[in-house]
Amino acid sequence: MNLIFKNATIIDKNSKFNNQAVDIKVENGVITKIGKDIAEEANFDIIQLDNLHISRGWFDSSVNFGEPGYEDRETIKNGLNVAARSGFTDVALQPNANPVIDNQADVSFVLSKARNAATSLHPIGALTKGSEGLDIAELYDMQNAGAVAFGDYNKDLADANLLKIALQYVQDFDGLVIAYAQDSKIKGKGVVHEGIVSTRLGLKGIPALAEELQIARNLFLLEYTGGKMHIPTVSTEKSVQLIREAKAKGLNVTCSVSVHHLVLTDEVLKDFDTRYKVTPPLRPDAIRKALIDGVLDGTIDIITSDHNPLDIEQKKMEFDLAKNGTVGLETAFGALMNVLPADVIIEKLTGGKKIFKVEDHAIEENAKASFTLFTTKGNHTFTKANILSKSKNSAFLGQELKGKAYGIYNNGKLIINE
């Protein structure tokens, strides 16, 4: 497939073409020319889109697709199509399946399901067998099979010694440990952030301390062992400060924040709508603003959709009983454009590749063509008809989004929304 992308504004702070509108010529999956007014040729398709912007391919560090075991929620094939149409060239797949992805064969299986897709899939292996927090899983074998990191999705590791051993063990092969932070004993039976809203609604609260105490413990362990730790979906001001201080001390720690924690607050819970039941829970506006500050000052390295499809049987029930999670790939960029500048969004949607050792490709001549196509203009209200996922549990239904992803060019394939 030979293509010429016309009048595309490149957003890439490391490119000499940053913020310039140029044409991009792609031959057999390679960028062969970048410049003004590239002449049209007989064997090339011309791609012209309104207010076209192009950046390095976006990477999502936390998605769930259900397969194997929960194909009713989502399949790998459709999930990767959703990711492509949402602007993501690469996604890291959580091990939250049935069975849990905790061995070499499971990693090979999900990779086989993703073969020939436009969006590249990068499996995260479970840190413990069955994600039960009792025994270390087959980390080295999984990395050899293609796993990019190890963590138990949305499960805290109560056994501090087990995390210590894992951090020490993975250093032999430069592995990355993902340490979800929520003390289950302090969380108790809480379902929302402990504060004014939980009191008003009569819902059991989760103290911010449940996250912060676990992060403090995990950072102490990291300081003792060395190695690399990634803390996913941080959600409190104190959490950000703890990580900021750890980075200043030279610890090899990174972290992410979810789109919904940057955009929404716990005020949306007023109608007990379970679409807003997520983990960590949504917080008050002052904390939301502190998280944005953490993004802007570089403490927070990655923004993730934390995409988690759940079918209606798991969401349409009493608030206390409903499962945590929201789909988020389709809305990630448009929601973020309401709270952050475009260049910051692109930086946080691409910077995670280095952390997870995912191949990254510059937008320059003779480089592999792997990029996201999007526009920063136009507002639209997100409706159920806009959801591409099999499950419809979006926390952004009815929200006004700004700009949108057109699609991607990756792995020699062009995917553009109709």
Side-chain angles (χ1 to χ4, degrees), residues 57-342:
W58 300 346
F59 167 69
D60 196 328
S61 62
S62 178
V63 303
N64 293 271
F65 288 153
E67 190 175 7
Y70 301 122
E71 289 86 354
D72 52 328
R73 303 178 190 178
E74 187 58 283
T75 63
I76 289 174
K77 180 179 179 180
N78 189 65
L80 290 175
N81 178 58
V82 174
R85 295 185 181 279
S86 303
F88 293 89
T89 60
D90 298 85
V91 295
L93 178 68
Q94 293 286 356
N96 185 30
N98 186 20
V100 170
I101 301 169
D102 64 0
N103 60 67
Q104 184 176 1
D106 293 339
V107 171
S108 298
F109 171 79
V110 295
L111 285 173
S112 71
K113 286 287 185 176
R115 195 173 294 128
N116 300 321
T119 294
S120 299
L121 182 142
H122 308 277
I124 296 171
L127 183 64
T128 63
K129 292 180 181 179
S131 287
E132 294 176 349
L134 300 176
D135 300 291
I136 298 292
E138 302 171 8
L139 309 186
Y140 179 67
D141 288 345
M142 285 193 287
Q143 181 148 311
N144 285 341
V148 295
F150 311 103
D152 297 331
Y153 181 67
N154 283 355
K155 292 185 176 182
D156 68 294
L157 191 53
D159 188 337
N161 189 56
L162 205 61
L163 181 58
K164 175 180 74 71
I165 292 170
L167 284 166
Q168 292 170 325
Y169 174 56
V170 298
Q171 291 178 54
D172 290 339
F173 47 92
D174 195 31
L176 175 65
V177 170
I178 300 175
Y180 179 72
Q182 184 167 259
D183 187 301
S184 59
K185 295 294 184 182
I186 293 179
K187 172 184 178 289
K189 296 182 179 180
V191 292
V192 297
H193 172 77
E194 182 182 77
I196 294 173
V197 171
S198 66
T199 302
R200 185 194 312 146
L201 299 178
L203 293 171
K204 294 184 178 69
I206 304 172
L209 179 67
E211 175 175 308
E212 297 157 358
L213 189 64
Q214 196 82 344
I215 286 179
R217 185 204 74 169
N218 292 347
L219 290 173
F220 270 115
L221 290 170
L222 179 64
E223 186 172 12
Y224 176 81
T225 61
K228 297 188 298 184
M229 177 187 289
H230 179 72
I231 302 174
T233 58
V234 298
S235 68
T236 82
E237 183 175 7
K238 181 64 174 177
S239 296
V240 175
Q241 182 58 29
L242 287 167
I243 294 167
R244 185 180 291 122
E245 292 169 357
K247 287 186 172 188
K249 289 163 61 173
L251 299 188
N252 195 345
V253 59
T254 56
C255 66
S256 70
V257 66
S258 75
V259 175
H260 40 275
H261 284 99
L262 295 175
V263 178
L264 304 175
T265 72
D266 59 354
E267 289 292 338
V268 298
L269 297 169
K270 61 183 183 296
D271 295 323
F272 299 91
D273 192 330
T274 58
R275 290 183 298 111
Y276 302 117
K277 189 183 181 188
V278 293
T279 185
L282 296 174
R283 310 284 189 186
D285 193 53
I287 294 178
R288 183 191 70 83
K289 290 176 179 176
L291 294 173
I292 288 178
D293 289 341
V295 169
L296 294 173
D297 71 16
T299 302
I300 296 175
D301 305 273
I302 299 172
I303 298 176
T304 174
S305 72
D306 200 25
H307 182 78
N308 189 11
L310 296 168
D311 57 39
I312 192 169
E313 286 83 3
Q314 291 152 335
K315 276 294 189 181
K316 199 172 182 61
M317 53 174 51
E318 295 92 335
F319 198 94
D320 286 0
L321 300 178
K323 287 190 176 294
N324 295 293
T326 175
V327 294
L329 284 169
E330 300 98 317
T331 50
F333 180 72
L336 289 172
M337 281 292 291
N338 287 321
V339 295
L340 288 168

